Amino acid sequence: MNLYLRYFDSETLVYSVDEALEFLRSIPEIQISPEMEADIRDYATNDVRYPKRYKVRSRVYFIIIKTEAANMLDFKQKKAVRTPDSNDRREPSPAVQHLNAHHPGWYEGVLDFKRVVLVPATGKHEYRDTQFVARCKANSGIDCYNRIVDHLRERVDSRSQFPSAKGKNFKFRYLGMWK
């Protein structure tokens, strides 16, 4: 596992923790304490995959990212993206599979979204939770969602916020085949 380090415009891709520490020590603003060195060594050896940042001073950090890239070009072009282990693969949830299932007919979709409305008393705008229910012809649950959102985008303030089709704020049910 290789390490990518970045501090402002200074960046490098190293192949060991010792090389990483050498790079960090070459930057005058960064003071490597024994605790930080131990933490960097621990980060490099454990299975944690997320990037790690270390504080240099108030609101100034350097980051370390684990990568399988062999060189900086591969890292920048994201050619060494981690492939999931066989036990790490996740099947799509049944709700998402149900959402994408192709089944033409009538659907009823219920969408809870944040609608921007004008408050007449103050002349300012605010978000209001709004529920919209519609019946439409669609080929799948996601098609129903897209038709509802397209319809609403033409009729409400453009600052209104619509939820994801995969979230809890969109529900649909199949009503039957169209004629």
Side-chain angles (χ1 to χ4, degrees), residues 18-75:
D18 293 326
E19 290 177 38
L21 292 169
E22 182 180 324
F23 169 75
L24 293 171
R25 288 187 178 113
S26 71
I27 301 172
E29 295 91 24
I30 299 176
Q31 302 299 317
I32 304 292
S33 66
E35 295 82 20
M36 183 185 290
E37 181 177 342
D39 193 49
I40 291 171
R41 288 184 186 282
D42 181 53
Y43 171 74
T45 57
N46 66 25
D47 293 335
V48 174
R49 297 293 304 185
Y50 58 85
K52 183 128 177 153
R53 70 180 188 168
Y54 291 91
K55 190 171 191 173
V56 175
R57 61 180 181 275
S58 179
R59 293 181 286 188
V60 176
Y61 299 86
F62 70 88
I63 64 165
I64 301 176
I65 300 172
K66 288 183 181 179
T67 181
E68 295 173 6
N71 56 46
M72 186 66 83
L73 182 63
D74 287 351
F75 178 78

Side-chain angles (χ1 to χ4, degrees), residues 95-105 107-110 136 138-148 165-166 170-174:
V96 173
Q97 289 177 343
H98 186 60
L99 184 69
N100 293 322
H102 185 75
H103 200 85
Y107 285 82
E108 180 179 71
V110 179
C136 62
N139 292 316
S140 63
I142 192 69
D143 187 32
C144 174
Y145 170 82
N146 290 333
R147 289 174 185 260
I148 290 172
K166 299 174 187 173
F170 174 67
K171 298 174 191 69
F172 69 94
R173 65 185 178 114
Y174 181 71

